[in-house]
Every structure is written in structure tokens, then in C-alpha cells.
Amino acid sequence: MELLLIILPVFLIFAAGYVGQKLIGFDIKTISTMALYLMSPFLAFRTFYANEITMDYFYIILFCLLLMGGLFIAVWVTSRLMRATRPQFSAIILGAVFMNSGNYGAPVVLFALGAIGFDYAVIMMVFQTVLMNSFGIFFASLGGSEKASIHDSIQRVIRMPVLYAAIVGVALQLLHVPISSSLMEGISLIADASIPTVMLVLGMQLAVITRKRVAYRYVTATVIIRMFLSPAIAAVIVLFLPVSDLLKTVLIIQSAMPAAANTTMFALQFGTEPDLVSFTTLITTLLSLLTIPIVLLLLGIG
């Protein structure tokens, strides 16, 4: 019951966006653009500035890269077997490779493992944000409706302000540059608003999904990779990492999270099968009500 109470706010925000779009109707792409280019950089800056860099960062980075590589190979093989188009391939990558480690995974870790585990969860969230805002945007652009080339996709990644905000955050932390409490409060106000805005956008997109436009076989493949293969690959990777059992547990729990809500924002921004991506996010989020307790049970928690 307590776990359901943690997950409930996520579904409440989804529902608010869904109902708002049904009753009022919004320009979804404009809102998603605002969240991506205006609000997310403040979240990235605060996260990198406020979280102290330790030796565990290296192993978490290594884990994230290995997991992403394993999932990418699984998506590539699956897409070839299913003869997916480039937009469909990119959409599967968005849904299967990038997990909701922030506003979903971090609270679950806090409930399951306490404050120490939560600190690790936040660090992983930071690097997942970097990966999503680089590789995620690259593939969203590559498979978008504009049919961008690899060069064009790389240029779009370079132009993303969130990456530079993260770099500035790290630099100011390493240089021990203080930021006044009043300025940090303003940054935090925008940063705190970015996550619920992204979740609202997902709810809005779910409200305008046309069922006939969703290729269910690709949804099924994406769900299997994200919810079942991802934690399995994670469990193998942590066997070879010289880290504490607590950190290993956090990494596995985070890898079992549903698809990241940000991927819907990317899909909308570049026209990369947004219905397929948003529907996958919905299904994996609903399915997580069953799969996350099972993962926690297998890890000996609860």
C-alpha cells in the first residue's frame, strides 16, 4: 500500500494532463518545447551543482553506458527482425533504452532503501539525464519527421542547452563557486516545475492518441525490453562491478523503471512516432505496478 501511495502522484499528474487536454485542449508541442529548452536546463544545472562528485560516479557511469549498450543491441536486433522503419526504430530506442529514474525511480528507492540509497539514485538520475539529452535526442532527431541526417542530428544535440547547463553546474561545483540562496531559490523554482510539466505533457499526448496509429507489436517489443530485459541485463552487469551491495541494488531497481516521460517530449519535438512512444510510456508505467514489487521481492526487500 505504501508503494502505491508513492506511485500515485505520478498517475495523478498523468490524469491532470489527460483531462486538461480533453476538456480544454492545448498546443502540446509548444508546451513540450518550453519544458525541453527553457525549464530542463535549470534542473540539470541544479542537479550537477548540488550533488557532490565521488568515486562511485565512475562505476555508475560505467553501469549506465553498459546497460545502454546492451539495450541498444537488443533494440537493433529486434528492429531488424521486425523490419522496423527508421522512425519506428528510433521510437523503440526511446521507449526501451531510457528509464524513468528521476520522478519515479528515485522515490521508489527512497521508500525501499532509505536516504543512503536515495543519494545513489539521484546520482544515477543525473547521468541518465545526460544520456537522454544526448543519445535520446540524437535518435529522436534521426528518426523524426524531418528525416534529419546523422550530421543534422549531432548538430541538434550540440545545440541543446541542457548539456551546457550540466557542464556549468559541474564546473561551478568543482571550482567551489558559491551561489546566493536567493538565486538558488529562483533556479530551484524552475527546476522543480520541469518534472511535473513533462508529466503533464505525457498525459496530454495520451489524450490525443489515435488507436489505429499505434503499432501494437512494436509496443509489445518495447515493453518486454524495458520492463524485463533491462533489469536482467543490469543484474548481470553489477556482478562484475566492485561496488557495495546497496549500490548494486539501487542500480537494478532503477533499471526496472518504466519508460522515461522525457522521451515523449523528444518524440513530440521531432515528430518521432509520438503516439507509439507515449503509449509505450503509459503501458510500462501501468505494468510497473506489478513488476516493481516483484523486482523488490527478488532483491530481498520488503
Side-chain angles (χ1 to χ4, degrees):
M1 179 59 69
E2 292 183 23
L3 180 59
L4 293 178
L5 291 177
I6 292 176
I7 298 174
L8 181 61
V10 176
F11 288 91
L12 179 62
I13 299 175
F14 284 162
Y18 183 94
V19 173
Q21 186 64 29
K22 285 290 187 181
L23 297 180
I24 302 174
F26 297 94
D27 186 341
I28 301 176
K29 187 172 183 179
T30 297
I31 298 175
S32 69
T33 300
M34 177 189 68
L36 183 61
Y37 287 92
L38 184 60
M39 303 173 73
S40 294
F42 286 89
L43 177 62
F45 172 82
R46 185 186 67 177
T47 302
F48 279 85
Y49 178 79
N51 289 280
E52 182 181 359
I53 297 176
T54 66
M55 287 299 296
D56 287 328
Y57 271 52
F58 170 76
Y59 295 111
I60 296 176
I61 292 173
L62 180 61
F63 171 84
C64 290
L65 291 175
L66 290 175
L67 179 61
M68 184 180 69
L71 292 174
F72 177 82
I73 293 173
V75 170
W76 182 80
V77 172
T78 301
S79 298
R80 290 294 298 270
L81 293 175
M82 300 181 73
R83 297 182 179 180
T85 63
R86 189 165 78 170
Q88 290 167 338
F89 170 65
S90 293
I92 296 174
I93 286 179
L94 291 176
V97 174
F98 305 105
M99 73 286 294
N100 193 342
S101 59
N103 56 324
Y104 195 159
V108 170
V109 170
L110 177 62
F111 162 73
L113 301 173
I116 299 178
F118 180 72
D119 290 339
Y120 286 134
V122 170
I123 294 172
M124 181 172 176
M125 180 195 72
V126 168
F127 290 111
Q128 282 297 322
T129 299
V130 172
L131 293 177
M132 273 194 294
N133 286 281
S134 53
F135 291 98
I137 290 174
F138 171 80
F139 283 106
S141 175
L142 190 64
S145 56
E146 296 180 6
K147 298 181 179 180
S149 65
I150 293 178
H151 178 267
D152 292 335
S153 298
I154 293 175
Q155 289 297 315
R156 286 175 175 172
V157 172
I158 295 175
R159 291 197 296 265
M160 292 304 298
V162 69
L163 296 178
Y164 299 102
I167 292 173
V168 172
V170 170
L172 293 184
Q173 182 195 146
L174 294 177
L175 295 173
H176 303 288
V177 177
I179 297 179
S180 66
S181 58
S182 57
L183 179 57
M184 201 64 193
E185 183 178 353
I187 293 173
S188 294
L189 285 173
I190 301 176
D192 291 338
S194 64
I195 292 178
T197 300
V198 170
M199 303 300 285
L200 285 171
V201 169
L202 175 58
M204 293 174 189
Q205 179 62 19
L206 294 174
V208 298
I209 287 179
T210 302
R211 181 174 298 181
K212 66 181 180 181
R213 288 161 54 190
V214 176
Y216 291 103
R217 65 193 187 106
Y218 295 116
V219 173
T220 301
T222 307
V223 169
I224 291 174
I225 295 173
R226 168 91 309 274
M227 302 307 294
F228 300 100
L229 185 59
S230 178
I233 293 176
V236 174
I237 293 174
V238 299
L239 290 175
F240 301 95
L241 295 181
V243 297
S244 66
D245 290 339
L246 175 62
L247 179 52
K248 290 180 180 180
T249 301
V250 171
L251 295 177
I252 294 174
I253 293 175
Q254 288 281 54
S255 70
M257 290 298 119
N262 299 62
T263 57
T264 293
M265 187 168 59
F266 298 158
L268 282 168
Q269 184 66 30
F270 298 105
T272 313
E273 298 282 346
D275 287 336
L276 174 57
V277 175
S278 58
F279 192 70
T280 297
T281 304
L282 172 64
I283 295 300
T284 55
T285 302
L286 293 174
L287 185 61
S288 68
L289 291 170
L290 297 175
T291 59
I292 291 177
I294 292 175
V295 170
L296 294 177
L297 182 63
L298 292 175
L299 291 171
I301 301 172

